[in-house]
Amino acid sequence: MPRVTQAHLDARRQQIIDAARARFATHGFARTSMADLVEASGLSTGAIYRYFKGKDQIVAAICEQAGQALPTELTARSVRDFLEHIRTLAREEDHARLVTQIYAEAAVSEPLAALVRQQLDELRAAVAALLPDREQAEAARTAEAFVALCDGYRQQLAVRGDLDPAPFAAAIMAIIET
């Protein structure tokens, strides 16, 4: 029997993650069954369980793939561009709704909450590193506010739809410049 390549296995795993990402964004975690993921992915139940023991593992895999397109500096232009990137992801990939669903699940799942906390810690540290001229505690406070405002903007996109990022960018810059 021919061996299945690692590339094939990776592609099937990604197919499941992509189907779950889309389904969770539109229907939520609780309203998505494994049968829904079978249908959305086009794979069999056995194929999905080959890669994941359940939905919790799929959500964790989605989180682990999350990447941040942080600016390389905190200028008015780069902050606006970053928020515009968040807006584009919300429009094109339903990313804001997906993150909202993940946060809601993290509120009741300690393992997922730990993963989300770790990612938020890493994000705050990356933002604080963009403020090398600030005292460490001040940079940490600014990073906390930056992440909170960006997450707030993403949450607003999930609930209110397409929003102009300008007021959020102005608020972020006011915090950075103080």
Side-chain angles (χ1 to χ4, degrees):
M1 182 174 359
R3 284 186 60 96
V4 175
T5 67
Q6 187 61 46
H8 175 80
L9 295 173
D10 293 345
R12 292 294 76 71
R13 185 176 190 278
Q14 190 60 48
Q15 184 177 348
I16 296 163
I17 292 169
D18 291 344
R21 183 181 282 121
R23 181 71 190 201
F24 292 155
T26 59
H27 291 80
F29 185 78
R31 291 187 178 128
T32 299
S33 67
M34 288 304 279
D36 294 327
L37 296 179
V38 166
E39 181 182 332
S41 69
L43 299 173
S44 68
T45 302
I48 291 177
Y49 281 109
R50 175 180 185 171
Y51 297 94
F52 302 100
K53 291 180 183 174
K55 290 191 300 182
D56 291 345
Q57 283 189 344
I58 297 171
V59 173
I62 290 169
C63 288
E64 289 164 358
Q65 286 186 351
Q68 294 293 333
L70 273 179
T72 56
E73 59 184 351
L74 295 178
T75 64
R77 174 71 178 194
S78 67
V79 168
R80 276 192 315 271
D81 289 348
F82 179 64
L83 292 177
E84 193 59 51
H85 174 71
I86 291 171
R87 184 184 194 187
T88 299
L89 288 175
R91 275 189 291 210
E92 295 177 2
E93 299 178 21
D94 225 355
H95 188 70
R97 289 177 58 181
L98 175 64
V99 173
T100 299
Q101 294 298 324
I102 290 171
Y103 277 28
E105 187 59 24
V108 296
S109 167
E110 181 51 38
L112 184 57
L115 178 58
V116 169
R117 279 192 303 270
Q118 176 188 345
Q119 289 178 324
L120 289 170
D121 289 346
E122 291 167 2
L123 182 58
R124 285 190 299 273
V127 172
L130 295 174
L131 300 163
D133 297 335
R134 302 263 175 105
E135 184 251 310
Q136 186 177 4
E138 182 185 342
R141 284 190 299 273
T142 302
E144 185 77 51
F146 178 95
V147 171
L149 279 167
C150 289
D151 274 346
Y153 177 60
R154 181 179 305 136
Q155 297 300 313
Q156 292 291 317
L157 288 167
V159 175
R160 296 174 58 195
D162 195 32
L163 285 174
D164 180 8
F168 295 88
I172 290 170
M173 288 313 299
I175 292 167
I176 290 170
E177 293 170 347
T178 55

